[in-house]
Every structure is written in C-alpha cells, then in structure tokens.
C-alpha cells in the first residue's frame, strides 16, 4: 500500500494536523472539500487508521496521525528543499577545473579567464590542456576534462555546447618584410602560404571550396598544428597566412587588406550532459561567454 503514497498526500496530512478542518484545508489548497476527503480516504487505506475523526466543527487527529506527522514533517521539508535552487557563491568554491582548449582559445580566452577567476573566485584552480580531438568526447565522459573550448566540427553530436562568438580571418605577412598589396584575391596565387591544420595534417587547408570558387590555388609550403606557431613562421619567413582576427594586433605581423575573405569559424564551449544543471559549471560557462563578448 505504501507505493500509493505521494508528496501531495503527505502535505495534505500535515495541513490537516495544522488546520484541523477539512474545509480550511480545501480552501488553502484551492480544491473542493470532496477532493480533500478523497485523498484522506486514500491515506486511511494506506495506514489502516482513521487518522482524523470529527470533532466539533473540524477534525481531531488520532495518535497514529500525530506520530505520522512528526515523521512526515522532516521528509516533506527535505523534499521541498531538494527542488529549491542551490545558493551559489563562487568565492566559496574550492575546486580544480580542467579546460581543454585549442592553442587559439588558450591565447584569446583562457588567459583572460584565468585573470578573471583569480579576482572573483580565488579558490578555483585551472588546468589548461591541449585539445586532443580524437579523445575529447572520452575525456569529457570520464571527467578527465571539465570543459572544452574549440570549434563545433571537433565535437560529437551528443555533447552540449554554446557558441561564444564567430571569428573571422585576417591575412598577414611579416612586419620585417616589405608591405604587400593585393589588387584582387587571385593575387594570392603569387605568394607562398603557411596554414594551420590540427585535425588532418595536410597541405590543403580549410575553406578549399571557397578558394576554388574564387579561382585561388594557394601555394601552401607548410602545414603546422597551431596558430601560435604560425605567427612565428610568418614572422621569420617570406610567406603569408590567414589567422583569426582576435590574434591581432601582433607586432611581428603586418595585415594585408583584402576585399574578400574566406569564411570564419564559431568558437564554442562544450561540456558533458551530466553537468548541464550543475551550478558551478553553469557559472563557469557564463563567465567564459562574458569574457568572450
């Protein structure tokens, strides 16, 4: 019989103990007296006791009802507290958070995030790791990584994420070399290029279809895994490269103006579904979004 008991009936019993009147309980619950009587009958069947008897203009509890009330009061309170939003204060948190990020995200997001965290939540420590594309989902699932800052293409479909911003590319050359002027985008064919290709090391680069549609066949002379390295390659060589705009200005580089640019990319923060409603993770994601704006 106990499986028939629900929180609604527990609260009803506690109200009857408090108000000692079916009509007043019905009024407080905004239901009919008949509805209260029906639920009381279910309670009587469950506990095999009258629970309440008529007394004057109201009802009086039996000894068993009083005993149940003492037990159910704490149970109902605990259940009600469990569905209330937890109070969250970042200053009171002591935890180590592991963030997996591309080298680009490390430079333009996590550096600012670290500085911000030190000010508002000094008990939170950060471990920033290189993004391992092949094992990212496994690392988030196992809890080895808490958050990932990357691009959507590197994420599996079952990982929730939020877009931080859309990044655009800029074309650069070394600041030590003579300025380059390109009258038309096809003038890119006259120069040597360096690209970043972290997921599939090759000499093709991203946006292949876009360049093809614009009759650009880049002479790619090097493919490297990170934008941080790319800046150094460009600075020390007579090559050009497309880099994310948020990495500029850089005193080592000079921007080359174009009338058309290849499509950019979305930067996202991702996590495992099990922490979606965790107050700490929700707070961290909000901080990352605000820093990225």
């Amino acid at each position: 019989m106990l499986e028939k008991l629900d929180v609604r009936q527990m609260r009803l019993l506690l109200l009857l103990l408090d108000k000692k009147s079916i009509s007043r309980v019905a009024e407080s619950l905004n239901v009919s007296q008949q509805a209260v009587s029906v639920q009381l009958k279910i309670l009587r069947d469950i506990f095999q006791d009258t629970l309440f008897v008529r007394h004057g203009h109201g009802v009086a509890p039996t000894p068993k009802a009083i005993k149940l009330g003492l037990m159910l009061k704490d149970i109902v309170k605990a259940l009600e507290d469990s569905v209330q939003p937890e109070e969250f204060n970042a200053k009171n948190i002591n935890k180590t958070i592991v963030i997996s990020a591309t080298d680009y995200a490390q430079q333009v997001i996590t550096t600012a995030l670290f500085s911000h965290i030190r000010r508002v939540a000094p008990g939170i420590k950060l471990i920033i790791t290189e993004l391992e594309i092949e094992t990212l989902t496994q690392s988030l699932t196992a809890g080895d990584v808490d958050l990932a800052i990357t691009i959507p293409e590197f994420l599996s479909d079952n990982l929730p994420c939020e877009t931080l911003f859309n990044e655009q590319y800029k074309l650069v050359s070394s600041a030590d070399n003579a300025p380059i002027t390109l009258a038309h985008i096809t003038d890119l064919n006259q120069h040597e290029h360096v690209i970043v290709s972290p997921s599939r090391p090759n000499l093709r680069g991203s946006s292949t279809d876009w360049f093809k549609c614009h009759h650009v066949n880049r002479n790619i002379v090097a493919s490297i895994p990170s934008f941080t390295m790319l800046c150094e390659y460009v600075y020390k060589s007579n090559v050009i490269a497309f880099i994310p705009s948020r990495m500029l200005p850089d005193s080592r580089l000079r921007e080359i103006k174009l009338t058309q640019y290849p499509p950019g990319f979305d930067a996202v923060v991702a996590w495992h579904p099990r922490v979606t409603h965790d107050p700490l993770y929700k707070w961290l994601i909000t901080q990352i979004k605000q820093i990225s704006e």
Side-chain angles (χ1 to χ4, degrees), residues 100 129 132 134-146 272 274:
S100 179
T129 66
E132 299 289 343
E134 301 300 329
T135 60
L136 180 58
T137 298
Q138 179 182 341
S139 297
L140 286 166
T141 302
D144 297 328
V145 169
D146 296 300
H272 192 272
R274 70 172 179 277

Side-chain angles (χ1 to χ4, degrees), residues 271-284:
W271 59 92
H272 192 272
R274 70 172 179 277
V275 301
T276 295
H277 301 293
D278 185 288
L280 172 59
Y281 287 83
K282 291 170 70 174
W283 180 82
L284 283 167

Side-chain angles (χ1 to χ4, degrees), residues 111-129:
T111 302
L113 177 65
F114 172 73
S115 178
H116 176 68
I117 291 293
R118 298 317 306 147
R119 292 194 303 271
V120 301
I124 295 178
K125 300 178 181 179
L126 297 181
I127 295 178
I128 309 299
T129 66

Side-chain angles (χ1 to χ4, degrees), residues 176-244:
D176 285 350
N177 296 337
I180 295 175
T181 300
L182 301 180
H184 190 270
I185 193 168
T186 54
D187 291 344
L188 289 170
N189 295 328
Q190 302 171 15
H191 297 270
E192 295 181 333
H193 298 249
V194 178
I195 64 169
V196 170
S197 184
S199 58
R200 298 181 181 86
N202 55 48
L203 292 173
R204 286 170 50 82
S206 61
S207 305
T208 301
D209 292 339
W210 185 89
F211 283 111
K212 184 177 180 180
C213 287
H214 289 79
H215 309 289
V216 175
N217 183 22
R218 292 181 295 172
N219 178 19
I220 298 173
V221 296
S223 173
I224 57 180
S226 76
F227 283 108
T228 304
M229 293 172 58
L230 179 70
C231 294
E232 195 66 13
Y233 272 58
V234 173
Y235 171 59
K236 293 184 176 180
S237 306
N238 189 26
V239 297
I240 61 176
F242 286 94
I243 71 168

Side-chain angles (χ1 to χ4, degrees), residues 8 12 28 51 73 87 90 98 107 116 119 124 132-133 138 140 154 156 193 197 207 210-211 254-255 262-264 281:
R8 177 180 51 183
L12 179 72
S28 68
L51 297 178
K73 184 177 181 180
E87 290 187 10
V98 180
Q107 179 172 330
H116 176 68
R119 292 194 303 271
I124 295 178
E132 299 289 343
I133 301 169
Q138 179 182 341
L140 286 166
F154 292 165
S156 61
H193 298 249
S197 184
S207 305
W210 185 89
F211 283 111
R254 176 185 289 112
E255 183 179 351
Y281 287 83

